Amino acid sequence: MLDVRRLRLLRELAHLGTIAAVAEALSFSPSAVSQQLSVLEKEAGVPLLERTGRRVTLTPAGRNLVRHAEAVLALLEQAGAELAHAKRGLAGPLRIGTYPSAARAIIPAVLAELAGWHPGLEPMVTEVDPAAVGAALRAGELDVALVHEYDLVPTDPEPGLAVTRPVFTEPMYLAARVPGTVAEQRGAPWIMSSPGTLCHTMAVRACEAAGFAPRIRHQIDDFTTVLALVAAGQGVALVPQLGTAGLPPGVVLTRLPMYRRTRAAFRAGAGSHPAISAFVSALHTAVPPGLGGGT
């Protein structure tokens, strides 16, 4: 009989690529991960991994087993959702991931709605970049999370996860001391988010689409700080609508033909869980006026 916990480790290895990354994501030691995967190979009776020096790749049998593991884990999530429906009232923790601008502008209203509907529910909010959401959801560190994508940075479906249709859509703005286009700012210093974030990739691609590589001066993830630096003449930046609250004097926003779309993400099979359904409903209720659902 194959052990579900070991199947989860194999699934994470397929997604994350290294035993060290799996160990970090699931709070194991690398040696413990290797040991459990070796036991899984014995249970399977066929080689699941190919080891070349320090590198480990999945064999065809290993990749096929991951495909079945995805289905098994989704079915377990569905079973948990059905059991939750059998309980009387929602109670207990709901671990929510969100990106910073939504944490400020949307999440407080979502929590207020949830408190009114289900006072026994205990939402626990963590800020996390959408690029890290998949690993956190699969590891069980989060139950549901807000993720976003940009026109210039579409996201591919991630195995093991499911997402809603866009809950709201924001226009993007160029923040500068004077109005203008992205192309007109080719000589200006740029303020961007940290490398590896979707916001950073979006801004770099927007500049490249305008025909230049940006000269990055500051790397800041908080949009309030970004706008303060723009006001201080430290550069220009691209900012979504949720990031424009409290616009400081001297900053001009030029609307761009670009959008950021936000969805709710959760583990595959968990969409019918009543706590997750309640969160998504509260999210729709809390969306500020002027932000459409989008497609």
Side-chain angles (χ1 to χ4, degrees), residues 183-257:
E184 290 170 340
Q185 301 295 341
R186 67 175 57 244
W190 280 77
I191 306 165
M192 294 191 176
S193 299
S194 302
T197 62
L198 296 180
C199 295
H200 179 94
T201 303
M202 172 274 303
V204 170
R205 289 185 181 177
C207 293
E208 291 173 346
F212 67 96
R215 177 165 58 90
I216 302 173
R217 174 177 290 178
H218 304 293
Q219 298 182 97
I220 303 293
D221 292 321
D222 176 66
F223 286 123
T224 300
T225 305
V226 168
L227 292 175
L229 290 175
V230 173
Q234 289 295 301
V236 300
L238 299 185
V239 183
Q241 183 169 328
L242 287 184
T244 62
L247 189 69
V251 177
V252 177
L253 297 178
T254 302
R255 184 164 175 167
L256 304 173

Side-chain angles (χ1 to χ4, degrees), residues 156-202:
D156 296 324
E158 190 166 350
L161 301 185
V163 295
T164 64
R165 294 175 61 83
V167 179
F168 59 90
T169 299
E170 306 164 73
M172 296 294 300
Y173 295 88
L174 172 67
R177 298 292 295 273
V178 295
T181 66
V182 172
E184 290 170 340
Q185 301 295 341
R186 67 175 57 244
W190 280 77
I191 306 165
M192 294 191 176
S193 299
S194 302
T197 62
L198 296 180
C199 295
H200 179 94
T201 303
M202 172 274 303

Side-chain angles (χ1 to χ4, degrees), residues 21 44 47 107 130 144 153 230 249 252 291:
I107 290 298
V144 64
V153 194
V230 173
V252 177
L291 295 184

Side-chain angles (χ1 to χ4, degrees), residues 50-102:
E50 293 177 340
R51 297 171 176 84
T52 306
R54 295 185 177 182
R55 294 181 60 83
V56 177
T57 58
L58 272 65
T59 64
R63 292 192 294 271
N64 192 48
L65 185 55
V66 167
R67 180 172 59 84
H68 289 293
E70 297 284 10
V72 168
L73 293 170
L75 285 172
L76 288 174
E77 291 289 342
Q78 291 177 15
E82 290 181 10
L83 290 173
H85 278 287
K87 297 178 182 178
R88 184 172 300 176
L90 286 179
L94 176 66
R95 294 159 298 183
I96 301 166
T98 180
Y99 55 89
S101 54

